[in-house]
Amino acid sequence: MSLRCLVTGATGYLGGRLVPELLAAGHTVRCLARTPGKLAGRPWAPRAEVVRGDVTDAASVRAALENIDVAYYLVHSLGKGRHFEETDRRAARVFAEQARDAGVRRLVYAGALTPAGVPEGDLSPHLRSRAEVGRIFLASGVPAAVLRAAVVIGSGSASFEMLRQLSERLPVMVTPRWVRTRVQPVAVRDMLAVLAGSARLPADVNRTFDIGGPDVVTYHTMMRRYAVHARLRRRLIVPVPVLSPWLSSLWVGLVTPLPGPLARPLVESLRHEVVCRERDIEAYVPMPPGGFLGLDDALKAALRRVGESEQEGPGAAAGPLPTDPPWAGGSIYTDRRERTVGATPEALWRVVEGIGGENGWYSSPVAWAVRGWLDSLVGGGGLRRGRRDAARLRPGDGLDFWRVEALEPERLLRLRGEMRVPGTAWLELRVDRDDHGRTVYRQRALFRPRGLAGHVYWWAVSPFHAWVFGGMVRNIASTAQAEG
């Protein structure tokens, strides 16, 4: 039977991935969002109802819960200031009270796994707040499922992004003791399966469930396994006992793009071992085919999506979504340029499609020749390959040290770099019209670094981008105008 579900946090990490799972299961979905416009471009948006509201506002929560069977609470205030515990407490109480008054049949909350035998007062503020919110829901009078997980492996998860950024940016790490702490990670695919399946829990179930994959590992092991699957060199990790959680959070904030207010509570949470004490959820919810993914398969799933082109659709739950925060999904460096062209789109496209080979790259020939020579020097193909046809391109064609990854005639040419660099490069050439009907040429160079060497490479060559890529924009535009 189809259920009517409310999802809070649909613009967040788990919520944005859960909505399509619920729709695929045949449920009706309503999303409560402070900024509904953030969901306008999602593929599932036309099939879901989106309402404006805030979990701290009783009136908007009450309206959103009208005629709802199952309410998912997937929001928290982590990273939003020192008083996030009080904000989370107040919001949970509002939501619990309004759910009870609205006759909601089931609450589902994604909480955090807490260590065994540690008094709540000794927990980090992050874990302490998650535990308190879970207790509020269990005492609400509405049957609640509090799903407690540790590290969720998937692009966009804050804990996974911290793992990724530390592993990619630091080949040698002087780390605090918490890298030896044992954790039990879970793949985002499996977390979503449990969340979606919890909608049909029996009415008498009102309890916590520990959620984790089959592997219990240290953070040290996770970083090393990440390096293996990301094709990074072996990481040297040196634990130092004098680094306190406070100093560690400053260090994480300095090394990674994660905001300090978010990194600090995450690091503090790693002081204690978080391992599942039961797996009772398996008796209530159908497991994914083959069971929960191990750490290696979860990492492969996340990196398979992250390692592909930025323009690829976000079909897999492990991959990035448009609503993920800017620090999610790994680093992407971008050089963007555009120019209005006094020619027809057809004339501009002829120049774009004819790029490379004998026609050259419309900027300093010396710079491109040097770049090709350097590529040959390190074992790459350089610029010798040229192109198959002087006027036409097809997807998959080789083009000097690029390959045609995508081609939409008279609109888009995307090239993927095949030169020897510590990362992956794309060059995107696009023909558009602006609001006044004028032809516009838009160009993007993108680079996804691999390891510290990738970041160093980008910053080493970026001073030359104005000369090389800026020259391309000017000369492609002027050639199209002349030929047009």
Side-chain angles (χ1 to χ4, degrees):
M1 183 180 65
S2 174
L3 298 171
R4 295 162 295 183
C5 301
L6 174 72
V7 176
T8 64
T11 59
Y13 174 62
L14 283 176
R17 291 158 171 80
L18 176 63
V19 172
E21 298 282 335
L22 295 174
L23 291 170
H27 302 312
T28 301
V29 179
R30 178 185 298 160
C31 301
L32 176 67
R34 286 182 296 180
T35 311
K38 290 183 177 181
L39 300 175
R42 303 300 294 276
W44 48 258
R47 296 185 291 139
E49 178 188 1
V50 180
V51 298
R52 185 185 302 275
D54 190 293
V55 289
T56 60
D57 176 52
S60 64
V61 170
R62 180 67 178 85
L65 288 168
E66 190 71 33
N67 297 319
I68 289 296
D69 298 312
V70 181
Y72 285 90
Y73 194 83
L74 306 176
V75 297
H76 58 77
S77 302
L78 184 64
K80 298 178 182 177
R82 293 184 303 167
H83 305 294
F84 73 88
E85 287 185 85
E86 172 55 33
T87 303
D88 279 342
R89 182 183 304 116
R90 179 162 45 92
R93 286 173 177 167
V94 167
F95 199 83
E97 292 169 2
Q98 297 304 320
R100 182 184 62 243
D101 293 346
V104 172
R105 293 159 50 187
R106 162 73 53 198
L107 288 173
V108 182
Y109 170 55
L113 196 57
T114 54
V118 178
E120 192 166 303
D122 294 338
L123 296 178
S124 71
H126 168 222
L127 294 181
R128 188 168 60 235
S129 178
R130 292 297 189 94
E132 182 181 19
V133 170
R135 285 199 310 275
I136 290 171
F137 288 146
L138 292 173
S140 66
V142 179
V146 177
L147 309 176
R148 310 191 310 169
V151 176
V152 178
I153 302 295
S155 180
S157 161
S159 50
F160 174 73
E161 293 299 333
M162 185 168 71
L163 169 73
R164 183 219 306 281
Q165 298 290 350
L166 289 175
S167 303
E168 295 224 349
R169 293 174 180 238
L170 296 176
V172 178
M173 287 178 264
V174 178
T175 59
R177 286 178 299 179
W178 52 255
V179 297
R180 300 294 189 187
T181 301
R182 295 200 314 160
V183 296
Q184 191 164 354
V186 60
V188 64
R189 181 206 75 164
D190 301 330
M191 188 67 188
L192 292 173
V194 172
L195 282 165
S198 296
R200 300 189 184 277
L201 286 172
D204 61 345
V205 173
N206 184 59
R207 54 165 291 185
T208 64
F209 291 97
D210 291 353
I211 312 298
D215 295 326
V216 177
V217 296
T218 65
Y219 212 83
H220 177 282
T221 299
M222 284 201 296
M223 286 192 283
R224 286 202 161 164
R225 289 199 189 176
Y226 178 92
V228 170
H229 295 297
R231 296 185 296 119
L232 302 171
R233 295 182 182 228
R234 183 178 176 87
R235 272 31 199 160
L236 178 60
I237 302 171
V238 183
V240 176
V242 296
L243 283 176
S244 67
W246 180 78
L247 287 174
S248 300
S249 65
L250 293 179
W251 168 69
V252 170
L254 176 66
V255 172
T256 77
L258 269 71
L262 178 62
R264 189 169 300 116
L266 286 177
V267 170
E268 291 174 345
S269 301
L270 293 170
R271 289 180 298 168
H272 302 293
E273 179 176 287
V274 279
V275 175
C276 295
R277 299 186 290 278
E278 44 84 9
R279 302 190 67 89
D280 296 350
I281 193 65
E282 296 178 10
Y284 292 94
V285 173
M287 292 294 100
F292 279 9
L293 295 178
L295 174 62
D296 290 310
D297 287 333
L299 289 171
K300 288 177 186 177
L303 289 169
R304 183 167 57 247
R305 304 297 301 184
V306 171
E308 294 168 356
S309 171
E310 181 197 47
Q311 289 77 27
E312 186 170 352
L321 293 183
T323 50
D324 288 342
W327 41 260
S331 299
I332 284 279
Y333 292 115
T334 306
D335 181 280
R336 287 186 175 89
R337 301 176 190 273
E338 68 175 61
R339 196 177 187 91
T340 302
V341 183
T344 64
E346 293 78 13
L348 176 58
W349 177 255
R350 284 195 295 272
V351 178
V352 167
E353 193 176 11
I355 200 167
E358 294 297 323
N359 294 327
W361 292 89
Y362 294 94
S363 61
S364 171
V366 174
W368 284 95
V370 169
R371 185 66 187 85
W373 176 79
L374 290 173
D375 189 53
S376 300
L377 194 65
V378 296
L383 296 173
R384 296 189 302 268
R385 182 167 58 184
R387 50 180 294 156
R388 175 190 56 84
D389 186 301
R392 296 287 180 266
L393 290 173
R394 297 177 302 190
D397 275 359
L399 179 58
D400 292 333
F401 48 42
W402 303 91
R403 186 166 298 279
V404 178
E405 183 177 81
L407 187 144
E408 300 175 25
E410 300 189 3
R411 183 171 178 269
L412 170 70
L413 171 63
R414 186 183 309 126
L415 307 174
R416 185 186 182 104
E418 294 188 337
M419 66 287 286
R420 294 292 184 92
V421 291
T424 307
W426 293 271
L427 181 61
E428 182 180 277
L429 318 177
R430 187 181 293 270
V431 176
D432 282 330
R433 285 187 183 274
D434 63 15
D435 294 339
H436 303 287
R438 297 174 297 188
T439 303
V440 177
Y441 172 63
R442 293 188 169 95
Q443 177 181 295
R444 291 199 306 171
L446 302 105
F447 183 69
R448 188 186 298 281
R450 183 173 65 251
L452 181 62
H455 294 276
V456 172
Y457 169 81
W458 174 265
W459 290 111
V461 300
S462 59
F464 303 100
H465 288 169
W467 179 31
V468 176
F469 294 133
M472 283 184 64
V473 171
R474 290 191 301 272
N475 294 329
I476 286 175
S478 61
T479 301
Q481 290 173 182
E483 295 184 1

